[in-house]
Amino acid sequence: MGDSVDFDVVVVGSCNLDLVSTTTHLPSPGETLRAVAYAEHAGGKGLNQAVACARMGARTAFIGCVGNDSAGTMLRDLLNSEGIDTSQLTTVDAPTGRAFITVDASGENTIVIVAGANAHLGKTAITLPSSKVLLAQLEIPLDVVTQVFTQAHNAITVLNPAPAAQLSTELLSLCDIAVPNENESAAMGGTKFLLGAGVTTVVTTLGERGAEISDATSTTAVTPYPVNAIDTVGAGDAFVGALCAELARGETIEHAARIASIAGALATTVHGAVPSLPTRAAVMSLYAD
Ligand code: RIB
């Protein structure tokens, strides 16, 4: 990809240690459940999406915070091993973020996050490098997202509004593209509201039904890639990362979303978030122009 900017994609976001229990079903309120398996993985929507971008061939930088603990060291090492720039990954005096994840036999999941070090992002100044795409999520302080989108140079700003939150018109009007899932979209007032509040394009992910691209004048369906899903954790992150990497290559939003749809589908066929993120070679081998 071209060299006129520092990076193809800059990701400003969270990183977590994912503590993942596999169970027969998701627990009901008050229920104590035995896990059938347990694993720990690198995670966090920011880190996952940065890794997804890098595996899709994008020169990627990650801006975030880890704690001064073994989980923080593991996450930093993982980002470095993926070739991601970590010069603005700050180690702070707080525990590294955690995500408590339960995955049931059908691949469905629940996630509880504890922000930890992620809540410290923005307490020391961020120097935003130039990039083709600037990507953020909502597991970090909202004012940091607004601040970096304000300083986006000429980058395409992409917001994955996860977890959903009530966002200011100021922030929404700074978003070129928002990529919510159906639940997040509904919680934030739906596509029409987001477009009316100033988002230029909304790409709504619909799970096994694919995705939908909407702007002020049209709505385009993105067909799903059929797979046997075993674990949906990280599928949205694979979609968002692939979308941003393809946009950085200069692809249209429609083309980028079709490729992202394959990346998201492939990510459901492997357990864990980071382990499931596909390479561009794997995605493009399934792509028919
Ligand atoms: O999108 C999946 C991610 O959400 C997990 O890796 C977890 O850390 C939470 O941030």
Side-chain angles (χ1 to χ4, degrees):
M1 297 188 201
D3 290 317
S4 56
V5 289
D6 297 323
F7 295 100
D8 295 317
V9 185
V10 169
V11 182
V12 182
S14 60
C15 46
N16 295 328
L17 178 65
D18 287 356
L19 313 174
V20 188
S21 301
T22 305
T23 57
T24 51
H25 59 277
L26 298 179
S28 306
E31 182 179 9
T32 299
L33 198 54
R34 285 182 205 282
V36 294
Y38 175 77
E40 296 186 358
H41 300 290
K45 296 185 196 305
L47 179 147
N48 295 342
Q49 291 173 26
V51 172
C53 289
R55 290 188 185 170
M56 290 295 289
R59 294 172 303 138
T60 305
F62 179 72
I63 299 176
C65 289
V66 290
N68 190 9
D69 49 24
S70 58
T73 304
M74 186 274 273
L75 299 179
R76 181 183 292 279
D77 290 348
L78 181 278
L79 286 160
N80 287 333
S81 72
E82 296 283 342
I84 295 166
D85 181 281
T86 55
S87 55
Q88 291 193 71
L89 176 64
T90 307
T91 300
V92 300
D93 188 17
T96 293
R98 294 282 192 282
F100 298 90
I101 301 178
T102 307
V103 181
D104 74 9
S106 72
E108 199 46 80
N109 68 73
T110 61
I111 302 178
V112 175
I113 53 171
V114 181
N118 295 306
H120 289 244
L121 186 58
K123 289 187 179 166
T124 54
I126 293 171
T127 306
L128 195 66
S130 62
S131 59
K132 295 176 182 168
V133 176
L134 175 62
L135 167 62
Q137 315 75 28
L138 300 180
E139 290 184 338
I140 55 172
L142 271 182
D143 58 337
V144 174
V145 180
T146 305
Q147 178 205 321
V148 295
F149 274 23
T150 304
Q151 299 167 356
H153 311 297
N154 292 319
I156 301 168
T157 52
V158 179
L159 179 67
N160 172 222
Q166 295 307 312
L167 302 181
S168 65
T169 311
E170 180 193 9
L171 175 53
L172 289 171
S173 64
L174 292 167
C175 297
D176 294 319
I177 301 171
V179 193
N181 66 23
E182 282 179 284
N183 293 337
E184 290 151 1
S185 177
M188 291 189 303
T191 300
K192 269 193 187 156
F193 171 79
L194 294 170
L195 292 172
V199 178
T200 308
T201 304
V202 177
V203 181
T204 308
T205 57
L206 305 172
E208 62 190 17
R209 290 179 290 116
E212 194 174 80
I213 306 167
S214 302
D215 62 20
T217 56
S218 64
T219 295
T220 307
V222 180
T223 49
Y225 185 82
V227 288
N228 286 326
I230 61 166
D231 182 348
T232 54
V233 178
D237 299 328
F239 182 101
V240 173
L243 184 84
C244 290
E246 294 306 310
L247 290 171
R249 285 179 184 270
E251 299 295 354
T252 62
I253 187 77
E254 290 80 11
H255 192 186
R258 284 171 57 204
I259 293 171
S261 182
I262 299 172
L266 283 183
T268 68
T269 64
V270 177
H271 285 291
V274 165
S276 73
L277 300 171
T279 62
R280 190 163 195 272
V283 173
M284 297 313 285
S285 71
L286 301 173
Y287 181 72
D289 209 350

